[in-house]
Amino acid sequence: MTLRTFDDQISAEMMLNFLRDHDITVTVLGNSVATTMLNRFNTVLDIRLAVPRDELEQAREALQGFEPEGELEQLPFRGPAPRAKTGGDEEDDDTPIRRRYRRAAFALAWLLPFGSGHFYAQHSAAGVVFATAIVGNTLLMMATGNSNVGALTLLFVAADAITAPFAVARYNANRVPTASAQIKRALFTLLAAWALAIIHDRFFESYT
């Protein structure tokens, strides 16, 4: 019987390993859990974990202790997931959301350094701002060979990785900001990273 469906590889792998650690027989249906990370952005993944009927109750009991990042995942047999809301939209809809993982957002920001942390958290406007800054700085570094530009690019990637988990928390709580609010937050974060780079350079120069 199908116990849980996923649309991202990391979530499926975490629950698959958890159930197997508890000696529960699990079968993977749909897309393979081995699907590459890049496919998360190119295709719709449909990963399903199924267990034998006689182990269903045992699996459900085990999952009560499955709390990645301190948050209990909402399982299919506990009812539909909360409805997603966009900032400024007062009307409810019946579209269920797939809860995201803060750890996955942090990892994706480093693995695919073009705002992927915020794209994963469904903060597309912020993701575009981070992507523009990171890609633009990378091209500038390649054209000028300036190591300072490269260091700033790394700070921008770090800024995406550090703030993306907070974006995931907002998404899971159905509090995704409006596009303009996302852009303001992203620009403020990038400005803070730029200021940190300047302070570091000044401090370093004073001791050399």
Side-chain angles (χ1 to χ4, degrees):
M1 298 188 66
T2 299
L3 177 66
R4 180 70 192 273
T5 60
F6 300 86
D7 66 350
D8 72 270
Q9 174 187 354
I10 294 177
S11 304
E13 286 181 339
M14 290 177 65
M15 186 171 288
L16 175 65
N17 293 332
F18 179 85
L19 291 171
R20 286 178 173 173
D21 288 343
H22 286 73
D23 299 324
I24 297 172
T25 305
V26 187
T27 303
V28 181
L29 305 175
N31 297 127
S32 171
V33 178
T35 303
T36 60
M37 189 77 71
L38 286 175
N39 282 342
R40 174 65 183 82
F41 297 93
N42 297 331
T43 62
V44 176
L45 300 184
D46 176 23
I47 304 172
R48 284 165 280 153
L49 300 185
V51 298
R53 185 181 297 274
D54 58 354
E55 295 186 35
L56 181 59
E57 289 303 320
Q58 180 185 354
R60 291 178 175 178
E61 291 178 3
L63 289 176
Q64 292 180 4
F66 181 69
E67 299 183 25
E69 295 295 317
E71 297 179 359
L72 180 63
E73 283 296 297
Q74 189 168 18
L75 304 175
F77 51 80
R78 294 188 177 183
R83 289 190 295 269
K85 297 179 182 179
T86 56
D89 185 4
E90 298 297 333
E91 296 184 2
D92 291 339
D93 57 49
D94 294 326
T95 304
I97 66 170
R98 299 282 189 177
R99 294 177 68 82
R100 307 284 170 169
Y101 291 91
R102 289 173 286 183
R103 190 179 303 166
F106 182 86
L108 283 172
W110 291 106
L111 291 172
L112 303 171
F114 46 80
S116 299
H118 281 78
F119 283 123
Y120 173 80
Q122 302 298 300
H123 284 54
S124 300
V128 169
V129 174
F130 279 104
T132 301
I134 293 169
V135 174
N137 262 37
T138 300
L139 295 176
L140 182 60
M141 178 188 65
M142 295 173 61
T144 63
N146 191 327
S147 60
N148 289 333
V149 176
L152 183 57
T153 303
L154 185 61
L155 277 177
F156 286 168
V157 175
D160 177 34
I162 292 170
T163 57
F166 296 100
V168 168
R170 289 192 294 271
Y171 172 80
N172 288 341
N174 295 334
R175 296 200 311 267
V176 177
T178 61
S180 60
Q182 292 180 40
I183 292 172
K184 289 178 182 178
R185 290 189 184 189
L187 289 176
F188 177 82
T189 302
L190 292 173
L191 182 61
W194 178 70
L196 180 62
I198 292 178
I199 294 172
H200 175 270
D201 290 342
R202 296 287 175 82
F203 180 81
F204 182 77
E205 290 175 358
S206 64
Y207 287 91
T208 56

